[in-house]
Amino acid sequence: MSDFAGMEDLLQDFLQEAGDLLSDVDNKLVDLERTPGDSRLLNDIFRGFHTIKGGAGFLNAGELVKLCHLTENLFDKLRNGEQTLTPELMDTIMAATQGVRNMFGEIAQGRQPDPVPAAVSGSLRAALAAKVAAPVAPAAPVPAREAPAGPDWQLLYEALVGPQDLPLAVTPPGASLATPPPAAAAAPVRSVPSVPPPANAVDAARLQPHFPPQGRRAADRPGAIASAAPAGRRADERAAVRETTIRVDTARLDQVLNLSGEIGLTKNRLTSLRADIIAGRTDADTLQALDQAVSQLDLLVSDLQNSVMKTRMQPIGRLFQKYPRIARDLARQLGKDVELELVGEETEVDKTMIEDLADPLVHLIRNAVDHGVETAEQRHAAGKPVKSVVRLEARQEGDHIVLIIADDGRGMSPEKIRAKAIEKNIIGEEEANTLDDRQSLNLIFLPGFSTMAQASAVSGRGVGMDVVKTNIQKLNGSIEIRSELGKGSVFSISLPLTLAILPVLLVLLGDQPFALPLSMVREILPIDHERMQEVGGKDTLVVRGEILPVIALSRLLGWPQLARPEYGVLMQTAERSFILAVDNFAGRDDAVIKALDDFRPRGVAGVTTLSNGQIVLILDMKELLSDLSAHNDHDARGAPTRALEFLA
């Protein structure tokens, strides 16, 4: 049973807004490390912890209240000039914010959070007692929810529980938790001695928050009827549930409502015209009015579809704001001076795509900080600025979103990458000699590839970059690399604006249409069978000097080939380029994808419906090609049934 039974809605609001607030605190901490004396940042961070503490107190999350209270007290000392921000103290603060985020993850699972590790709380208390805080290793992250604005937790808590013994900074009525009062209005919330007391004179009770008994009965406490959680919880049990809520601008919802009303009026007009036609009125005026009504309905439905798609679009800045902290922690761990520059945070991306981009971007940023940029000594010797810059950029280009992860580091050598791939037996020497520089750089996406001589806690095990490529492909996207030795590397990710609508090319096998993702299509060309050559037992064509294999769609599907294909679709995946031989074409379409949840044959990404009502399968070319490879490998033993062969 949940420790917060009966409070699920309030709990959701708290997690969403407190998660956003903590992400903002993380970014401000990174800024504060660059400008330690910035009073505005100190006040903002103080209020961030204070506000989270108020919401946690309302939920009776005692351990979270204690941790926020300790951190809040430390920032009170910092902003009053009684403590100096050092790198070691910043490590302690960062560990505390990670502890808060971990507690969010536990609360999201309906459990009261466990106490923060003793090393973190001990370092916070040592800092409050004016001792030098020992460096604290960051705690393992636990995912936390994020999302929209909610109630003013501080006022709500005080209204129900009454004022606390320790005075709290009160949020003005009507102010949002995410928009605290201006820094100029902030005043110290407690009296702090001008000279810190010695360690043996610290009043431990003063460092602990006080929980007033009034306002709640013991039985009313959310955790009172729940049994204690086992001490040895598995890490995977702490994973937060995938977020299913979305923040939508009310203006966009108003647009959807207005269009729905317009469609209703047009539908009434069509109903009236239908009655006239049934009654025998088929004069020119009636038919013209019908044509106008149908055209208007078509326009309105298109506008409604676009408006609904926009409700799914979210600024990618909500994702970007997590990464400065990640880059900072890793750079400090590696002894590097790195600044993460964010560009294009206002660019909007499909909500589901934002969630699926989180892991690939983490891998790429960590790769840039770990492998891409040099140490301060190496940069100085190379005549570069000591501070390296990693740029994370988003922009819209036509109907695609482009993400850039660039660094000004050492760059990559195609020759060294080829040699490493041969050394690790990932490719053979003969194959390596046929690769150009672009193909050589793409070897880093192969499973098991790493240029590190020895694995470390950060990288070197040959996992990560292959995951990046796989996840980008799942989003119908592509990734490219440009690199120049001594100047840095650029990773470019191209993604569709939305996953709900997929541009497709409709091809025919006999009379049966199939849909191919248009993002994979480079060009359409006729197949000249006289120019076709056999290389290694496979049909090939030379296109602008490039030898490409020709693969019949009928062969991929396991269907009998009734006639020689006359047309080819030059397609490109991350691993290969090839010509798909088809019988004919049926045009281009923007497919509304319908998932096949209960039964999905291999090689099928989904289905769509044409304007004539015909159902068309959207092909998953990666699965079809992998099935073909497996079929070729087992030819000697008899080929297994391939994808869609049962439909032939």
Side-chain angles (χ1 to χ4, degrees), residues 184-496:
V189 296
R190 58 180 64 79
S191 175
V192 183
S194 57
V195 179
N200 58 3
V202 176
D203 181 2
R206 185 178 62 83
L207 299 180
Q208 300 293 334
H210 176 71
F211 301 102
Q214 71 271 18
R216 277 185 182 270
R217 298 167 298 168
D220 291 335
R221 293 179 60 248
I225 59 175
S227 58
R233 287 178 182 154
R234 293 170 49 190
D236 56 355
E237 292 177 348
R238 297 171 180 260
V241 178
R242 185 182 179 96
E243 186 180 341
T244 57
T245 58
I246 189 170
R247 181 179 299 174
V248 181
D249 189 336
T250 54
R252 293 186 174 179
L253 294 179
D254 290 342
Q255 176 72 3
V256 170
L257 184 61
N258 291 337
L259 287 170
S260 300
E262 292 290 334
I263 288 174
L265 293 175
T266 306
K267 174 234 175 193
N268 293 340
R269 176 63 176 151
L270 285 171
T271 301
S272 174
L273 289 170
R274 174 179 177 271
D276 289 344
I277 293 172
I278 291 175
R281 255 186 91 181
T282 57
D283 55 276
D285 290 342
T286 302
L287 295 179
Q288 183 180 3
L290 176 63
D291 182 65
Q292 290 176 347
V294 170
S295 298
Q296 184 179 10
L297 182 63
D298 181 65
L299 180 62
L300 289 171
V301 169
S302 297
D303 288 346
L304 179 61
Q305 187 180 52
N306 291 333
S307 296
V308 171
M309 289 301 108
K310 285 183 179 179
T311 64
R312 294 167 54 99
M313 306 295 280
Q314 298 283 287
I316 202 168
R318 292 192 60 205
L319 178 63
F320 280 11
Q321 67 180 352
K322 303 176 183 179
Y323 297 128
R325 165 72 185 272
I326 293 174
R328 178 264 174 201
D329 287 350
L330 181 57
R332 180 156 172 77
Q333 179 183 343
L334 298 173
K336 298 180 178 181
D337 189 359
V338 180
E339 178 180 353
L340 180 64
E341 181 181 270
L342 303 181
V343 181
E345 296 174 78
E346 71 284 353
T347 304
E348 292 190 329
V349 184
D350 190 291
K351 169 66 165 56
T352 56
M353 197 177 295
I354 286 181
E355 295 175 348
D356 292 332
L357 279 172
D359 285 345
L361 290 182
V362 167
H363 281 302
L364 289 171
I365 291 171
R366 288 173 64 89
N367 183 72
V369 175
D370 186 18
H371 296 291
V373 302
E374 313 94 330
T375 62
E377 295 79 11
Q378 292 169 334
R379 293 180 67 85
H380 180 73
K384 293 182 174 182
V386 173
K387 181 186 288 291
S388 54
V389 177
V390 176
R391 187 175 89 256
L392 177 58
E393 178 181 352
R395 63 174 182 264
Q396 182 174 342
E397 293 185 356
D399 59 351
H400 278 70
I401 296 294
V402 176
L403 301 178
I404 304 291
I405 302 90
D407 65 72
D408 61 351
R410 56 174 62 92
M412 293 185 285
S413 167
E415 293 79 12
K416 289 183 179 179
I417 291 176
R418 283 196 295 266
K420 201 69 176 179
I422 295 172
E423 177 189 328
K424 290 180 172 289
N425 294 321
I426 294 176
I427 61 172
E429 189 169 351
E430 182 178 350
E431 182 182 355
N433 292 333
T434 65
L435 301 179
D436 59 23
D437 287 351
R438 180 185 65 83
Q439 293 168 324
S440 298
L441 292 175
N442 284 333
L443 290 174
I444 69 172
F445 293 120
L446 295 178
F449 183 87
S450 175
T451 57
M452 300 286 287
Q454 186 175 359
S456 68
V458 178
S459 60
R461 302 187 184 277
V463 295
M465 297 305 290
D466 61 318
V467 175
V468 168
K469 185 189 72 172
T470 300
N471 287 357
I472 295 301
Q473 286 178 334
K474 287 179 181 177
L475 297 174
N476 298 320
S478 61
I479 182 168
E480 295 181 355
I481 311 173
R482 300 193 310 274
S483 188
E484 187 175 349
L485 279 175
K487 295 190 176 180
S489 303
V490 179
F491 290 80
S492 301
I493 299 172
S494 179
L495 298 163

Side-chain angles (χ1 to χ4, degrees), residues 39 61 131 202 220 230 239 251 277 366 521 557 583-584 589:
S39 59
K131 296 179 182 178
V202 176
D220 291 335
I277 293 172
R366 288 173 64 89
V521 176
L557 303 181
D583 293 342
N584 212 327
D589 198 3

